[in-house]
Each structure stands twice: as C-alpha cells, then as structure tokens.
DNA sequence: TTGTACGCGTTATCAC
DNA sequence: GTGATAACGCGTACAA
C-alpha cells in the first residue's frame, strides 16, 4: 500500500495469466483478442487501477505526439488568441503542445529548440520571429511558421495584401479626399508588408491622393501615443478640411488614434475615418467601435496544425517524399465595418 | 547516411572505448572523470553529433520535468498574461509546460488530466474552475490553483479583499456621496468574493452610503453593455446630482461603462468616478485611462510555480511529509490611480 | 576513476 | 489468437 509502484503490463499479465504481449494488443488491436478475453483484461484494469504510461510507449515506438511551439510574448492579443486556437486543435488531431515563450534572444530560442528536440517532438510551430527561416529549415524536423519571414519553411499567413485592398477600398468608397496609411518601416519579406503594398497598389490604381506615414515601432503605450499624436498633428495641418481615411497598421494603434481625437473633440470628427487591422478586442471595446480587417485566427491556427500534421505523417512513411518547395498557405481576412468608417456626422 | 538512427551512449562508448556508464557520468557527474577523458568524450559528441534523448532519461529516472496546465480560454487577457508569466519561469526552474485549454466541460477536463498523468507530469497548475478542488485533491499529485475555489488544494491568489479596500478608500477619499459596486452574483468560496466583502466592510465601517448592483455574468460584449447601460440608467436617476464612486468588478466592464458615459457626454462627467480591477490593457488603452486595482500577475505566476516546485521536491524525498493543510498564498494588489478617479472637472 | 548488469514500461518481431 | 524475447536509450547499484 505504501510503496505504490505503478501497475504495469507485467502486473496485468500475471493477474490475468496472459502475456505482456496480449495486454499490449488489448490496447492497440483489441479485435485480435476474443471478446471474452477482452472482458477479462478490461476487468483486471479496473481491479488493479491501471494507468497508462506514455513515456514508455514513446521510447518503444518513437511517437511522442508532441508539437513544440515558440511564441513571442502573449501580452499581445493576436499571439495569445493564436495560441489558444492552436491548443484547441488537440481535440481534432490529438497532438500535445510544449510551449515556450520566445524572448527575442537568438541564443535563448536555440536553447528552447534543443530542449524541444530532446523531448523528441514530432514538429514545431514557430510564431517567434527571432531565428531566420533558413536556420529553421536546417533543423530537419517538420516546421510551420505563422505570420513571419518564411522563405525556407512552410507557413500559414493572413492575406495581408487583400486585407489592405479591402480596407482602402472601403475608405475610398466613403469618399475620402486623402488616404493615409500609418506603419512602421518593416522588411519586405514579412507577410505584413503586404499591407503596405496593398495600400499603395489600390491608391495608385484608383489614382487616389495618399500618403504613408512611418514611425518607428514603439514597444510601449506612451511612446506609441506620442508618435500617433505627431502623425495626427501633421494630418490636422496638412489636410485641414479634407476627409481623411486612415488605414492604421493595427487595432491597438487605431484605438490610440481614436482616443486622441475623442479627447480633443468629444467625438470622432466627421472628417476622420479610421480602420485598423486584426479585429482584436480593443477594436470592439473602443469608445466607438473601430472598423478593422479581421484576421481569421481560428482558421489560421487550424490550417497551421493541419499542415504540420500532414508533414509529420509524410515523414512517418517508409519512403517519405521530401518537399521540393515550402508550402505557403494563405487565409483571407474579413472586413468588419463598424462605427469609425460609417458616416458619423449628426 | 540515409538511415540516420539516433546516436546513443552506446555509439559514443564504442567510439571512445569507454563504457555507457562513463558516458552517462560525463553528463550527470562530470567531475568524476579526468579532465582528459572529459575532453575525449566531449570531442566524440561533436564528432558524432550527439543529441540527448530526454524520453529515455525519463523512463530511467522517472523525472519528466513536466508541469501540466489547464487554463480557461486565453481570450481573457488575465489568463493569457498569467500563462505567459508561468511559461517564463522555465528560465528559473527548468520545468516544461504541457498546456491544455479547458472548455468548461467536466468530462473533457478529466480527459486532459488523464492525458497529462499518462505523460507522467510531476505537478499541475490549474486555472480552470470546472473541477472542484476536492476532486483535484484526490489526484495524488502536487497541484496549485490560481484564483479559483481552492478549499482542498494549494493555491496562490490576489488579495482581493485588500484590493477592494484600496479601491473604496480611494473613492471615499475623493469625497464621493455614494459608493457603488457592480458585480455578478458569485459564490462566496471564490477568491474574487473578497472584492464584495471588502467593499461592504469599508462602507459599513466608514458609514458610507453605498449599493451593490448585481447583474448576471454575460459572456459577450453586447449583453454586458446592455447590463451596464441598465446600471447606468439606474444610477443616473437614483443618484442624480450626487458624486458617484463606482467600483466595477473588472476593467473590461469599467471600460464599457466609461464608453457609455463618454458617448453620452463627450467626456467623463465630474460626478462619476470609476475604478476597475486587474490592470488589464483596456484600462490603459481606454479613452480616459481607468484607475484600477492591479493584480501582480508576474508575482502570482512565480509564486505558484515556486510553491509547486517545493511540493514536487518534497515528494521526491525518501520520506515525504504530506501536507496537513493546503497552503494558500496571497499576493497583494497594487492600486493604480489614473484619470477616472482624478478630478476631471475643467 | 571506470565497468557490469539490470531496470524503467512499453512495442515489435517472430514464433507457435 | 497468443506468447517469448528483444529492442528503445538512459540511470544506477554494485563491483572492480
């Protein structure tokens, strides 16, 4: 009673007068036993209170059913919701997730990956953007990245370009005199760069007056607010009296911009239309609900895990066919029209 | 080259003419080898490109260094940030985390726990509130819960009572004529019930006019907004002209309330003071920064993991001393004074 | 300081 | 249908 060692197949075998092999088959191929014997074993399991040991199973058959995840800080809602949706796929695919929070230091993330490999994970999902896709590709393990540089690895991303096109088209359709896009200077090999391309392409094609305002990426609220105030000041003077359609790089920034305006005017002035990106909770929780380009996080997460599962399955075959080219899946965004792009003149 | 089976201690042993034991000791007790031999083995590891296999290690010594986590949806910032901070403790304690998102169905969560047990986790952190602490306590594995019913298990919680005391004291100090607390009817065995007790105790002690307004807990934004509008309507008529200090049950609700007021008046009227709970991002991102009782999520997460590590270590001893009583740790909150409790008359 | 032999709890490969 | 027996890769008495 005191030394309660775990009940093993051996114990069950002795108890039932079967062999370990038969017990194993009871779990992995029950049909190969007579119903009668199944019942006997089933009863023994109850009697002995058997608990399975997957660690031993792994060692024997090599299948951990582990997927490793490296994700940047969950402070950002986009990442936490993505992780949420990824974890929920356990119900569909049965894979378990070992999660590390990347801290933007290369050496640290390499350590995380080593640790994951030591636990014999079958695949990885990378949202962290610290390590190059080239380095990741060298890891010799199925990998899918989400919304980051992905030249040498498989990935699932939002169709950022399409999102920008939808946003700008909405603003243009509302009769804006000038279209503004605010963003940080980002590398053209990032999926999010599509937002800039989409903005420019539509403006040029439709021959719309437009301007992109770049500010450095700020990691904290106060600095971001300062940058956006600067942008606002510029707009107020430069485009005075004109109807301004502003496509902000994300909902957090759109919310700050909206707040600056509401604090100044007590409402959103008629000559300002705002649209953000992400459909994060701030966009609905804002003082006036913010129009936004919604990322379908649930679908992205599902597609990412599904793609990874496919890759992992291929690898288990007797003659795996390696991918010639990385697969890049794209999930369409959803335009959400809310108060900040409706006519708000009373 | 094609059949790249993993390099094992055996391979290294043959390569170096040592025994497996010596290789094992190289990793676990290097000082027991001569520096010379350490160098030889070290070199062989490079040469053969050895990768450690923790699964085999686990089977041999029983230590998985796994902690299981069951957490409700990460949509709520409080939970995602808590998970974030828990995951970050890997750097301190070295434990890896297997994470499941609870979906509020008892049977499902029991399955999750079974799965975790099968992987021989050494302990669990439970944020999900689906299963009773009584049931959890029966699991015979170290468990720490966070901010949920915890009668029979160890836990770490915010000092909700103290938080409420601070909030109410702030409002009272600002000369409010009446103090309001909005909340959902919650069970008195939840840590969050301390907010209600704290509110009442201070009001009664200081002999302040006060009222608690209960509304059912709504899972979506729109319904919550409707409830808060009802509350607002009641306040507007009942306490017309009086200075109202409102202690809202959380920041999300405080933000909605603030938005309702700002949409109506273009600003926060002078006779309304608002304070929320949690210090979640909405409180700083609101149109007017919302005063709040901040939970020290980083400290709670750290204390929870630390407590769990202590429990797990005790269990590894030759003669573990079982806890007579569950340990309940409490982390003090931090009052954050922001715009919604400052004088905002101009 | 180093080596031998066995155990950890399963699965896989043969036999019967 | 069922059973021996050998992996899987590492840790750990116990010896030497």
């Amino acid at each position: 009673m005191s030394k309660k060692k775990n009940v093993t197949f051996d114990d069950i075998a002795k108890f039932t007068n079967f062999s370990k092999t038969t017990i194993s088959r009871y779990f992995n191929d029950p049909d190969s036993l007579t119903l009668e014997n199944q019942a006997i074993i089933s009863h023994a399991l109850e009697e002995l209170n058997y608990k399975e040991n997957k660690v031993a199973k792994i060692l024997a058959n090599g299948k951990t059913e582990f997927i490793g995840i490296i994700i940047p800080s969950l402070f950002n809602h986009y990442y936490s919701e993505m992780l949420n949706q990824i974890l929920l796929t356990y119900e569909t695919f049965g894979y378990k997730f070992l999660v590390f929070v990347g801290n933007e230091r290369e050496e640290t993330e390499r350590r995380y990956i080593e640790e994951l490999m030591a636990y014999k994970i079958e695949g990885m999902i990378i949202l962290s953007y610290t390590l190059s896709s080239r380095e990741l590709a060298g890891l010799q393990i199925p990998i899918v990245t989400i919304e980051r540089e992905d030249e040498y690895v498989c990935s699932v991303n939002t169709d950022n370009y399409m999102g920008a096109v939808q946003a700008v088209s909405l603003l243009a359709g509302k009769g804006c005199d000038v279209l503004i896009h605010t963003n940080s200077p980002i590398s053209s090999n990032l999926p999010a760069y599509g937002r800039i391309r989409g903005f420019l392409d539509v403006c040029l094609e439709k021959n719309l007056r437009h301007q992109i305002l770049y500010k450095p990426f700020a990691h904290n609220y106060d600095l971001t607010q300062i940058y956006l105030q600067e942008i606002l000041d510029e707009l107020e003077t430069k485009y005075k009296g004109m109807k301004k359609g502003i496509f902000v790089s994300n909902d957090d920034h759109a919310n700050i911009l909206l707040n600056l305006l509401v604090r100044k005017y007590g409402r959103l002035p008629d000559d300002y239309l705002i649209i953000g990106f992400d459909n994060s909770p701030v966009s609905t929780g804002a003082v006036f609900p913010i129009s936004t380009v919604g990322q379908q996080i649930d679908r992205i997460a599902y597609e990412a895990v599904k793609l990874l599962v496919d890759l992992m399955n291929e690898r288990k075959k007797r003659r795996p066919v390696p991918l010639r080219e990385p697969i890049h899946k794209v999930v369409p965004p959803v335009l959400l029209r809310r108060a900040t792009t409706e006519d708000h003149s009373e």
Side-chain angles (χ1 to χ4, degrees), chain A residues 284-298:
Chain A
T284 50
V287 56
F288 298 106
I290 300 171
S291 296
T292 187
V293 178
Q295 302 209 44
Q296 301 192 68
I297 296 181
D298 52 350

Side-chain angles (χ1 to χ4, degrees), chain A residues 23-36:
Chain A
I23 310 304
S24 174
R25 266 196 291 263
Y26 169 82
F27 288 102
N28 299 311
D29 185 15
D31 293 343
S32 68
L33 311 195
T34 63
L35 283 176
E36 197 177 7

Side-chain angles (χ1 to χ4, degrees), chain A residues 98-116:
Chain A
L98 276 168
V99 188
F100 282 92
V101 176
N103 67 353
E104 310 193 8
R105 292 197 50 237
E106 292 190 13
E107 278 317 316
T108 311
E109 296 202 12
R110 290 199 186 98
R111 262 198 301 116
Y112 293 168
I113 291 178
E114 282 230 341
E115 185 83 337
L116 288 171

Side-chain angles (χ1 to χ4, degrees), chain A residues 78-134:
Chain A
Y78 172 79
Y79 289 121
S80 63
E81 181 60 14
M82 188 67 78
L83 178 60
N84 193 16
Q85 297 295 335
I86 290 174
L87 296 177
L88 287 173
T89 64
Y90 168 74
E91 293 295 332
T92 310
F93 299 105
Y95 281 86
K96 273 68 62 179
F97 297 94
L98 276 168
V99 188
F100 282 92
V101 176
N103 67 353
E104 310 193 8
R105 292 197 50 237
E106 292 190 13
E107 278 317 316
T108 311
E109 296 202 12
R110 290 199 186 98
R111 262 198 301 116
Y112 293 168
I113 291 178
E114 282 230 341
E115 185 83 337
L116 288 171
M117 299 294 256
Y119 279 99
K120 302 298 161 189
I121 56 168
E122 298 184 37
M124 286 183 80
I125 295 180
I126 308 280
L127 290 100
S128 155
Y129 35 78
T130 309
L131 302 176
S132 72
S133 70
R134 191 177 186 79

Side-chain angles (χ1 to χ4, degrees), chain A residues 246-304:
Chain A
I246 312 174
F247 172 37
V248 188
S249 54
N250 66 57
D251 288 338
D252 284 312
H253 291 199
N255 181 53
I256 294 174
L257 188 66
L258 174 65
N259 286 344
L260 290 173
L261 283 163
V262 173
R263 281 176 208 153
K264 183 170 180 181
Y265 296 107
R267 61 187 190 89
L268 180 59
D270 306 337
D271 55 335
Y272 282 94
L273 272 66
I274 296 176
I275 184 164
F277 209 105
D278 287 345
N279 189 26
S280 75
V282 291
S283 68
T284 50
V287 56
F288 298 106
I290 300 171
S291 296
T292 187
V293 178
Q295 302 209 44
Q296 301 192 68
I297 296 181
D298 52 350
R299 279 198 52 193
I300 296 172
Y302 178 85
E303 293 294 339

Side-chain angles (χ1 to χ4, degrees), chain A residues 183-196:
Chain A
N183 214 322
S184 310
I186 55 176
S187 174
S188 63
N189 63 359
L190 297 182
Y193 191 75
R195 304 179 195 178
I196 294 175

